[in-house]
Amino acid sequence: MATSNLELDYEFLPYLKVYKNGHVERLLGIDAIPPGIDSQFGVSSKDISNIVPNSEVYVRIYLPINCKNKTLPLVIYFHGGGFCMFTPSSSLYHNYLNTLVSESRVIAISVHYRRPPEHPVHVAYEDSWQVLQWVFAHCNGDGPEPWVNAHANFTRVFLTGDSAGANIAHNMAMNVGSVDPELMVDILGVALIHPYFWGSDPIGSEGLYPDKKAGVDRMWSFVCPSNPDNDDPRVNPIAKGAPGLMSLGCRRVLICVAEKDILKDRGRAYYEALGQSGWMGVVEIHETQGEDHVFHLHDLDSQKSKDLMKNLAHFFNRERTHFL
């Protein structure tokens, strides 16, 4: 839609502009790459819609071309972008998922959820939960999607994502831990890459970066106007009164942080709180020195990005005898 003649209502820079007629102009992640065969990485992809009726929710499924009749670890990926930017078809995420699937030898399902400001953030969580139900409906090999039926190993299911997507992955794991185990597929692990967690009171080095802090401070109130408190347990899982992390519904957690990322202290605090919560799983943390938030998405060929990818591949494939 042309915006030259529209009257601006408000801006949430550098992410988007909202006009008085309700039109939302996103400023990042608006390019789109169609699914298909990536011969460089040896990965096929396709989109599946109509998972949540009458909505824009869809998934993009990625599968190594030469997996033949093998079953592979199943990685469910939630993209970042402050809840309000990007989709699985954005080049930033499509290229990353192709690389992840090629390097890790997994089948991956990249989730697109409805986004603020058109939809408050609780809709993103609800959409993501419904997608999980759709995925889990394939656990007996009789779901609607043949690739998932044939190639997903439902004894090795992982949730992962970056930034806001890592926040969604955490909240989905908390949901899994709160329902009847007989109604759910077991989640083996969760990998949180530069997770978006926050809080009302600064911790660690956050106060040293007032400009960065101001930007993060206003994020939750923008995406969740009904409860703009930065100590909402969905964004601050270790806040006073938040549900205990001991109910996290998985057996392994990998937390990845970056030295220059203002969110790193929240990732470390989550790591420490989870380890002390009574949760019966194994948690580990990896810090990349000299890098900032989601650096790996913007330079897949750097050595530090490759090192992070190797850590993820090892996390997804640990205890397997070999890669294909």
Side-chain angles (χ1 to χ4, degrees), residues 291-321:
E291 297 292 350
D292 210 331
H293 192 61
V294 297
F295 72 92
H296 59 294
L297 296 178
H298 302 281
D299 188 2
L300 295 174
D301 293 325
S302 75
Q303 187 57 51
K304 290 178 181 178
S305 295
K306 291 178 179 179
D307 291 343
L308 177 56
M309 185 69 73
K310 288 178 182 178
N311 281 334
L312 291 168
H314 178 67
F315 183 71
F316 299 144
N317 288 279
R318 193 176 302 163
E319 298 176 3
R320 294 179 75 200
T321 56

Side-chain angles (χ1 to χ4, degrees), residues 91-112:
S91 60
L92 197 71
Y93 285 102
H94 181 73
N95 294 335
Y96 177 70
L97 265 293
N98 274 330
T99 306
L100 178 69
V101 168
S102 176
E103 293 294 326
S104 302
R105 309 303 296 171
V106 300
I107 178 172
I109 298 177
S110 183
V111 180
H112 181 56

Side-chain angles (χ1 to χ4, degrees), residues 195 197 255 257 263-272 285:
F197 297 133
I255 303 164
V257 297
L263 300 179
K264 72 173 183 179
D265 292 311
R266 299 290 170 173
R268 286 198 164 277
Y270 180 94
Y271 164 75
E272 294 168 1
I285 191 166

Side-chain angles (χ1 to χ4, degrees), residues 281-295:
V282 176
V283 59
E284 55 190 293
I285 191 166
H286 167 81
E287 180 170 344
T288 303
Q289 298 297 314
E291 297 292 350
D292 210 331
H293 192 61
V294 297
F295 72 92

Side-chain angles (χ1 to χ4, degrees), residues 78 125 129 132-133 136 159 166-181 184-185 187 189-190 192 197 232-239 241-253 270 273-274 277 279:
F78 303 96
Y125 294 127
W129 185 248
L132 287 188
Q133 308 313 302
F136 295 160
L159 308 182
N167 175 289
I168 293 175
H170 156 76
N171 279 286
M172 294 304 99
M174 291 296 292
N175 284 357
V176 169
S178 68
V179 300
D180 186 339
M184 295 299 300
V185 169
I187 304 295
V190 174
L192 305 177
F197 297 133
D232 183 310
R234 292 170 294 183
V235 70
N236 186 0
I238 62 174
L245 292 177
M246 66 182 301
S247 63
L248 193 71
C250 63
R251 288 179 275 154
R252 301 178 187 165
V253 172
Y270 180 94
L274 182 58
S277 68
W279 174 68

Side-chain angles (χ1 to χ4, degrees), residues 17 19 53 64 68 74 78 147 150 157 165 246 314:
K17 298 179 180 180
Y19 295 87
K68 300 181 180 178
L74 172 59
F78 303 96
W147 282 10
V157 179
M246 66 182 301
H314 178 67

Side-chain angles (χ1 to χ4, degrees), residues 201-221:
D201 298 322
I203 64 172
S205 60
E206 291 169 0
L208 301 178
Y209 306 98
D211 291 341
K212 284 185 175 181
K213 181 179 180 299
V216 183
D217 276 342
R218 66 193 183 112
M219 174 63 72
W220 184 254
S221 62

